[in-house]
């Protein structure tokens, strides 16, 4: 990953994008793709679609969702404490004691989210799992009026954003889900266009609102009407304690992007992804998922009359926490894999299960 691409990743991670509030991160995406995309547009839902060779007969969509989980301010109490609803799937235990930021029209407002100290918890309370609705945000004010000067009902909040590198090329930040997948689809577009010779039309989409129901992938797939779609999202790394490999498979950080097999994935696309990885010596891992996947691949596959869909995962430890941890090398390899995959597609390619390859 060169310096420019790495700076882009860090900017994505440091720019807030709770579902429905993605406009700031989409600005970052538009600015980065301007130098190499042939066409950039933003639809009314907020998806940013960057395209190369847009006239190509075979339409290919790569989706990385730009939204992240967060909180939505729903009430300010008489003392100026904020209560919230959750945006996306939180483990409320992950929220206790975190630094937060409320993103307002007037700029970022620092906050903490907490509960009373352990010394003051009753025996009963200590045993109980806390619910998100019991937690409050404290912005340091003394009254409802003072809070309302800074924050409005319907403002969104995130964990305090920030990027940190660990040893051996690992890095952590909130929102690796799915700023890493977003980075991969944009970077795949850049690498494919820099290489030259793209026959398909390639559309890298920064999708919105994945965390609240895979919604941006649904609207952007309808708009682009692709023949082939690949979603890139984080997937659970199982190389840390307590995860059941028998169910989740053996997925490790730094061992390459994860190609998913299962009913949500078109078998021809999946086979092609594996073939490309083998031929180009990109390290990869394989995982299985037996249901409709909980990510953009789900919406893409059942767009219109159906789309030949693939799913490429970025191994991620500690999903939906403040310290989502990935290996930077996996991002780089995923971008290479998807650039090569797109470059290898030809107009007449058929992805119909059981028939592909049998037609003239
Ligand atoms: Zn995701």
């Amino acid at each position: 990953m060169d310096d420019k691409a790495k700076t882009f990743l860090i900017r994505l991670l440091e720019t807030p994008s709770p579902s429905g509030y993605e406009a700031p991160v989409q600005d970052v995406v538009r600015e980065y793709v301007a130098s190499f995309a042939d066409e950039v547009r933003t639809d009314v839902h907020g998806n940013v679609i960057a395209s190369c060779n847009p006239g190509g007969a075979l339409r290919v969509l790569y989706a990385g969702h730009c939204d992240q989980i967060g909180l939505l301010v729903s009430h300010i109490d008489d003392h100026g404490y904020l209560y919230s609803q959750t945006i996306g799937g939180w483990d409320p235990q992950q929220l206790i004691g975190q630094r937060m930021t409320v993103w307002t029209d007037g700029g970022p407002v620092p906050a903490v989210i907490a509960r009373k100290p352990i010394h003051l918890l009753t025996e009963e309370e200590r045993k109980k799992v806390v619910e998100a609705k019991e937690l409050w945000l404290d912005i340091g004010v003394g009254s409802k009026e003072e809070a309302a000067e800074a924050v409005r009902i319907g403002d969104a909040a995130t964990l305090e954003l920030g990027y940190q590198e660990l040893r051996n090329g690992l890095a952590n930040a909130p929102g690796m889900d799915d700023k890493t997948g977003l980075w991969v689809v944009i970077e795949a577009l850049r690498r494919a266009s820099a290489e030259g010779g793209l026959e398909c039309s390639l559309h890298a989409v920064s999708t919105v609102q994945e965390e609240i129901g895979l919604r941006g992938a649904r609207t952007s797939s309808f708009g682009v009407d692709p023949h082939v779609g690949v979603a890139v999202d984080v997937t659970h790394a199982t190389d840390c304690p307590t995860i059941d490999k028998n169910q989740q498979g053996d997925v490790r950080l730094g061992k390459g992007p994860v190609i998913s097999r299962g009913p949500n994935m078109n078998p021809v696309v999946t086979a092609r992804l594996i073939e490309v990885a083998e031929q180009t010596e990109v390290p990869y891992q394989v995982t299985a998922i037996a249901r409709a996947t909980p990510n953009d691949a789900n919406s893409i596959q059942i767009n219109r009359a159906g789309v030949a869909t693939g799913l490429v995962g970025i191994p991620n430890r500690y999903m939906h926490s403040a310290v989502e941890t990935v290996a930077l090398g996996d991002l780089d390899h995923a971008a290479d894999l998807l650039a090569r995959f797109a470059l290898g597609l030809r107009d007449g390619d058929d992805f119909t299960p059981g028939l592909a390859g049998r037609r003239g």
Side-chain angles (χ1 to χ4, degrees):
M1 165 179 322
D2 63 28
D3 282 354
K4 209 174 151 197
K6 188 166 177 185
T7 304
F8 175 52
L9 173 66
I10 294 170
R11 279 190 73 198
L12 293 177
L13 289 164
E14 292 182 343
T15 305
S17 60
S19 310
Y21 295 73
E22 300 97 341
V25 84
Q26 297 295 46
D27 280 340
V28 175
V29 173
R30 276 187 295 263
E31 187 188 314
Y32 187 72
V33 300
S35 64
F36 59 85
D38 297 327
E39 201 176 276
V40 184
R41 62 187 186 87
T42 305
D43 68 21
V44 75
H45 196 186
N47 300 297
V48 171
I49 301 152
S51 308
C52 283
N53 193 34
L58 184 77
R59 291 182 297 278
V60 179
L61 180 149
Y62 286 170
H65 73 86
C66 70
D67 63 310
Q68 63 187 136
I69 58 174
L71 300 175
L72 190 68
V73 176
S74 53
H75 179 63
I76 304 173
D77 79 5
D78 290 343
H79 304 283
Y81 294 116
L82 316 181
Y83 285 83
S84 64
Q85 298 170 13
T86 50
I87 299 174
W90 277 100
D91 171 359
Q93 313 308 305
Q94 298 283 356
L95 279 166
I96 300 168
Q98 296 288 347
R99 289 183 178 149
M100 306 289 291
T101 307
V102 186
W103 302 96
T104 75
D105 289 346
V109 174
V112 294
I113 188 164
R115 65 169 178 170
K116 65 183 174 184
I118 184 153
H119 324 68
L120 308 180
L121 293 174
T122 63
E123 221 29 65
E124 239 2 81
E125 284 171 329
R126 285 185 197 194
K127 280 185 218 147
K128 227 183 102 226
V129 171
V130 78
E131 289 182 61
K133 66 181 182 187
E134 297 169 331
L135 300 172
W136 60 87
L137 290 151
D138 182 346
I139 61 168
V141 297
S143 70
K144 183 171 192 154
E145 292 68 33
E146 202 185 340
E149 281 168 25
V151 173
R152 287 197 303 156
I153 301 301
D155 283 342
T158 63
L159 292 160
E160 180 181 60
L161 303 180
Y163 171 86
Q164 183 185 51
E165 291 190 356
L166 304 171
R167 299 167 77 89
N168 293 313
L170 307 194
N172 73 77
M176 287 293 187
D177 177 3
D178 183 33
K179 310 284 175 96
T180 55
L182 169 57
W183 183 92
V184 165
V185 302
I186 299 294
E187 195 57 16
L189 182 76
R190 188 180 75 78
R191 292 179 192 188
S193 100
E195 179 91 15
L198 207 51
E199 186 168 317
C200 68
S201 65
L202 184 57
H203 309 270
V205 186
S206 175
T207 60
V208 296
Q209 300 190 7
E210 189 268 358
E211 297 287 0
I212 58 164
L214 326 176
R215 293 157 55 86
R218 186 163 158 192
T219 51
S220 59
S221 293
F222 191 95
V224 172
D225 190 15
H227 301 92
V228 178
V230 179
V232 184
D233 208 334
V234 289
T235 189
H236 297 290
T238 63
D239 57 353
C240 68
T242 70
I243 298 181
D244 180 9
K245 284 193 173 64
N246 291 347
Q247 284 301 307
Q248 300 300 324
D250 187 4
V251 175
R252 302 178 192 201
L253 296 194
K255 295 292 178 192
V258 182
I259 299 169
S260 284
R261 298 188 65 210
N264 197 156
M265 279 62 69
N266 175 283
V268 188
V269 170
T270 303
R272 273 287 264 277
L273 284 166
I274 291 173
E275 193 184 302
V276 170
E278 293 280 353
Q279 282 168 357
T280 55
E281 294 180 1
V282 170
Y284 70 98
Q285 311 177 71
V286 175
T287 192
I289 178 157
R291 57 195 166 108
T293 62
N295 58 51
D296 282 347
N298 185 341
S299 291
I300 294 168
Q301 187 185 36
I302 53 174
N303 177 58
R304 296 186 186 238
V307 174
T309 299
L311 174 61
V312 170
I314 307 298
N316 182 15
R317 284 185 201 148
Y318 323 125
M319 192 130 21
H320 287 199
S321 81
V323 292
E324 291 187 297
T325 299
V326 303
L328 297 176
D330 291 336
L331 276 63
D332 236 347
H333 286 127
D336 279 340
L337 172 64
L338 287 172
R340 305 303 328 176
F341 176 79
L343 287 164
L345 295 173
R346 294 291 168 264
D347 285 351
D349 288 349
D350 185 4
F351 295 90
T352 316
L355 297 179
R358 290 192 212 164
R359 289 176 178 171

